[in-house]
Amino acid sequence: MASTEYGKHMGELKRGEQRWDVYLEGQSDTALGAVRGRIHFVSGQLHKTTGWIFLEWQEKDIHERFAEFSAVELLHFVEAL
């Protein structure tokens, strides 16, 4: 999944003057035979990360779950971090 150090770039969020690049990181969990995922929000020198909020069988499943979040929900995540 890694296309940058943070993971795959999934787009950007904007609210007023604030802009966040959004990345989805995946990591294999061999003990469970699954993939974990978390979201990174990057704005200049600011970097905020969720915990491992996804646990799915395959990487594509993490992408599908991520796609269920609206921009408003993602903004709520970054504001809560």
Side-chain angles (χ1 to χ4, degrees):
M1 200 183 283
S3 55
T4 71
E5 65 182 294
Y6 305 121
K8 182 176 180 189
H9 188 256
M10 302 303 285
E12 80 177 18
L13 294 172
K14 289 183 182 178
R15 178 178 277 175
E17 295 294 316
Q18 197 163 31
R19 181 185 154 282
W20 295 93
D21 284 305
V22 181
Y23 298 87
L24 182 60
E25 176 187 5
Q27 182 180 79
S28 294
D29 186 323
T30 54
L32 295 175
V35 180
R36 296 181 185 279
R38 64 182 173 182
I39 305 171
H40 295 260
F41 299 94
V42 180
S43 179
Q45 296 298 319
L46 291 175
H47 177 198
K48 298 182 177 189
T49 308
T50 66
W52 295 103
I53 60 174
F54 301 106
L55 181 62
E56 299 291 340
W57 294 115
Q58 298 178 18
E59 190 174 306
K60 71 176 184 73
D61 299 326
I62 290 176
H63 286 267
E64 289 172 7
R65 292 278 312 281
F66 175 85
E68 294 174 6
F69 289 111
S70 69
V72 171
E73 290 170 317
L74 290 171
L75 282 167
H76 289 171
F77 265 129
V78 74
E79 290 168 353
L81 295 172

